[in-house]
Amino acid sequence: MNLDDPANHFASLDAADSLGHFRDCFLIPKAADGSDTIYFTGNSLGLQPKTARSFIEVELDDWARLGVEGHLHAAHPWLPYHEFLTEKMARIVGAEPLETVVMNSLTVNLHLLLVSFYRPAGRRRKIIVEKGSFPSDRYAILSHLKLHGVSDDALIELAPRDGEATLRTDDILGVIEREADELALVMLGGVNYYTGQAFAMAAITEAGHRAGAVVGFDLAHAAGNLELKLHDWNVDFAAWCSYKYLNAGPGGIAGAFVHARHSKAFDLPRFAGWWGHDKETRFQMGPDFVPLAGAEGWQVSNPPIFQMAALRASLDIFDEAGMSALREKSMKLTGFLETLLSKIADERIELITPKDPEQRGCQLSIRVRDADKRLFDAITARGVIADWREPDVIRVAPVPLYNSFEDVHRFAEILQECLS
Ligand SMILES: *Cc1c(COP(=O)(O)O)cnc(C)c1O
C-alpha cells in the first residue's frame, strides 16, 4: 500500500467529517495496551452510548422511589414508554408512526407477523427467501409451513449463480415473476448478514405485489445502516433487531413495521395479548380483545423498560445525526476501506460484497483463501474486533456513528502486515 497516495489521507477525511464528534458519544472497547480497539462489529453488537447508563438509572431510581406508581408518575411514565420511541424509530426506517412499534425481539416479531401475513390459500402457498439467510429466519419460516401443513417444497431459496457470491436483482425479480401463480410471500433480508449485499427492496416489493404476494423484510442488518423508505416502497411488513447498528445493547428490544394500509386489517389472524388491546379500555380488563390500529395492535406483553431506556439513549443520537447524513458518511467510509483493500492486492483475500455502493451498507465481507483462520486471529491480536464467519469470511463493518477514517486506515495497515 502506498501511504503517499492522496486517497490514503485519512486525517483530512476525518477533519472534513461533520459527524466525527459522534464518536465521543460512545464507549469504545480498549485493547490490552489501553488504546481504542478498531471496532468493526457494529453489525453484530453496536457500542454503548455513554448516555445509556444514566437513562437506565433514571428508571431504576423511579422504580425505587415510586414502585407501581411509576407506571403513571415516573419521569418517563412506563405505561406509554414505548410511545417515546415510536417517532424516532419510524424515521430510521422511513415509516409513519402508526406503522412502527418497538416490542419483543426480532425472531419473535417475525413469528407474530408471519401469523398475520403468511396466509397460504389454494395453490398460493410458496415463500421466496434467500438461500443462506440467517438461520433463525429459516427456522421461523419452516415452522410456519408446518403450522399450516404445507410441505417444505413450498420454500423457494434464491441462490447466486454458479461462481458468483451474491444475487442479481434481475434473477430475484425473475423468480418472483415465474412463481407468480403460486406465490404467497416474499421474505428477504434488507442486507444479507453474510455477504453484506443490500437488496433492491423497492423493486422486489413492487414485483412481489404484481405477482399477488405479500412482501416482508428482515431488516436486522439494514435498520440504522441503509436509508429505508418502508412506507413509500409499500412494504407489507418488516422486523428488525436494535442491538446491531442501532446500538441498543445485548438483547435490545426489537422493531416491527406494518404498512398503514393494513392498520385496520382486524380480520387478519393475530396472536393477541393485552398490550395490543385498545388503550382506552385495556384496564377495564374485559373478556374480548379489541386490537389497536396500526403496528401497536401486534403487541402482546407489556415491554421491558430498561431495554427501552437503552434504546431511547441510542435513538436520540440517531435522530440528531439523521439517517441520510449517516448513510452519506457510511458510503465514504466503506468506499475508503474498499479502496485501501484493493491496494493490498494479495490473492489470498477477495471481497464478496457487491462493489456497487447502492447494493451494500457499511459491511464488507472478505473471503480468505483456504479458509485460513490464522489471518483473523492475527488481526484480532492486533486490536481489531471483526468477526469470522464459517467457512471462510471475515466481516468488517465500519459504522458512521463511531468509526473514523483513521480506524479504516489502521485496519488496512494491520491486515497488510498480517498478510506479509
Ligand atoms: C441478528 C439476526 C437475527 C437474530 O435474531 P434474534 O431474534 O434477535 O435473536 C435474526 N435474523 C437475522 C437476519 C439477523 O441478522
Side-chain angles (χ1 to χ4, degrees):
M1 190 181 344
N2 175 8
L3 297 182
D4 295 331
D5 187 324
N8 292 344
H9 287 163
F10 63 87
S12 58
L13 291 167
D14 276 328
D17 172 15
S18 62
L19 300 178
H21 61 285
F22 282 104
R23 181 179 172 95
D24 275 344
C25 299
F26 292 89
L27 295 163
I28 315 275
K30 301 289 182 205
D33 67 1
S35 64
D36 287 350
T37 53
I38 299 171
Y39 194 84
F40 279 177
T41 44
N43 56 347
S44 185
L45 188 81
L47 290 181
Q48 184 182 140
K50 288 179 180 167
T51 45
R53 185 180 297 270
S54 63
F55 276 48
I56 292 172
E57 272 171 4
V58 166
E59 303 313 324
L60 283 167
D61 290 345
D62 279 347
W63 179 25
R65 197 165 56 86
L66 298 165
V68 71
E69 301 278 294
H71 283 304
L72 295 174
H73 301 299
H76 306 280
W78 304 328
L79 202 58
Y81 199 102
H82 74 274
E83 295 169 20
F84 307 141
L85 300 160
T86 304
E87 281 183 26
K88 287 173 185 167
M89 190 61 109
R91 278 197 277 279
I92 285 176
V93 295
E96 293 173 357
L98 174 73
E99 298 173 315
T100 317
V101 67
V102 300
M103 59 182 190
N104 312 311
S105 44
L106 168 55
T107 312
V108 172
N109 287 345
L110 287 177
H111 277 299
L112 294 174
L113 294 166
L114 285 169
V115 162
S116 299
F117 292 106
Y118 176 55
R119 307 298 310 142
R123 289 177 66 203
R124 223 177 244 291
R125 315 155 82 78
K126 291 187 175 173
I127 307 181
I128 292 180
V129 298
E130 308 145 71
K131 190 174 169 59
S133 67
F134 198 89
S136 198
D137 299 41
R138 193 166 193 277
Y139 306 154
I141 285 188
L142 285 173
S143 70
H144 282 264
L145 291 178
K146 201 162 181 184
L147 180 73
H148 289 283
V150 173
S151 100
D152 290 2
D153 309 344
L155 197 66
I156 303 171
E157 298 186 274
L158 300 169
R161 296 184 184 194
D162 279 347
E164 297 184 8
T166 52
L167 291 163
R168 299 190 192 188
T169 301
D170 284 347
D171 290 351
I172 301 175
L173 303 181
V175 174
I176 293 173
E177 202 180 314
R178 189 189 76 209
E179 298 292 344
D181 293 343
E182 301 184 6
L183 195 58
L185 173 68
V186 178
M187 211 198 91
L188 303 180
V191 174
N192 182 280
Y193 82 100
Y194 191 80
T195 64
Q197 179 177 22
F199 295 110
M201 286 177 263
I204 290 168
T205 306
E206 202 191 320
H209 288 165
R210 222 182 303 122
V214 172
V215 181
F217 289 101
D218 180 327
L219 301 173
H221 283 263
N225 179 10
L226 303 178
E227 236 187 318
L228 302 168
K229 300 206 158 30
L230 298 184
H231 176 84
D232 292 349
W233 295 340
N234 263 319
V235 170
D236 291 287
F237 71 92
W240 58 95
C241 53
S242 62
Y243 48 79
K244 291 173 179 163
Y245 291 102
L246 291 178
N247 308 321
I253 189 160
F257 166 89
V258 175
H259 198 279
R261 69 178 174 283
H262 304 304
S263 65
K264 293 195 172 149
F266 300 132
D267 49 334
L268 288 176
R270 69 176 87 190
F271 282 173
W274 74 319
W275 229 252
H277 184 97
D278 177 30
K279 289 173 200 173
E280 305 302 318
T281 57
R282 183 189 289 148
F283 286 94
Q284 291 171 13
M285 305 305 226
D288 298 319
F289 177 62
V290 181
L292 285 160
E296 283 188 314
W298 271 265
Q299 294 173 107
V300 177
S301 296
N302 82 94
I305 298 296
F306 305 136
Q307 289 293 356
M308 289 195 296
L311 178 58
R312 203 161 63 81
S314 169
L315 294 192
D316 282 0
I317 298 171
F318 268 91
D319 214 47
E320 201 184 321
M323 264 326 295
S324 60
L326 285 167
R327 173 68 172 146
E328 196 183 316
K329 172 175 172 187
S330 168
M331 285 175 140
K332 289 183 192 153
L333 204 56
T334 296
F336 184 54
L337 175 59
E338 183 184 33
T339 304
L340 297 188
L341 292 181
S342 72
K343 288 183 187 176
I344 293 181
D346 185 306
E347 78 284 357
R348 282 170 294 171
I349 60 166
E350 169 205 3
L351 276 188
I352 61 171
T353 308
K355 291 202 172 314
D356 173 8
E358 296 295 337
Q359 287 189 61
R360 67 184 187 203
C362 299
Q363 174 183 330
L364 293 181
S365 301
I366 305 168
R367 178 163 280 156
V368 182
R369 185 132 158 241
D370 300 327
D372 189 347
K373 188 164 178 277
R374 281 175 307 175
L375 177 62
F376 177 75
D377 294 337
I379 61 171
T380 304
R382 296 282 307 272
V384 174
I385 304 189
D387 87 5
W388 174 263
R389 284 288 141 147
E390 294 297 341
D392 59 2
V393 162
I394 296 174
R395 300 186 308 166
V396 284
V399 306
L401 267 178
Y402 49 74
N403 286 124
S404 60
F405 292 90
E406 182 179 359
D407 282 342
V408 169
H409 180 89
R410 276 176 59 211
F411 169 75
E413 272 184 337
I414 290 170
L415 185 69
Q416 187 180 41
E417 284 161 22
C418 291
L419 278 163
S420 56

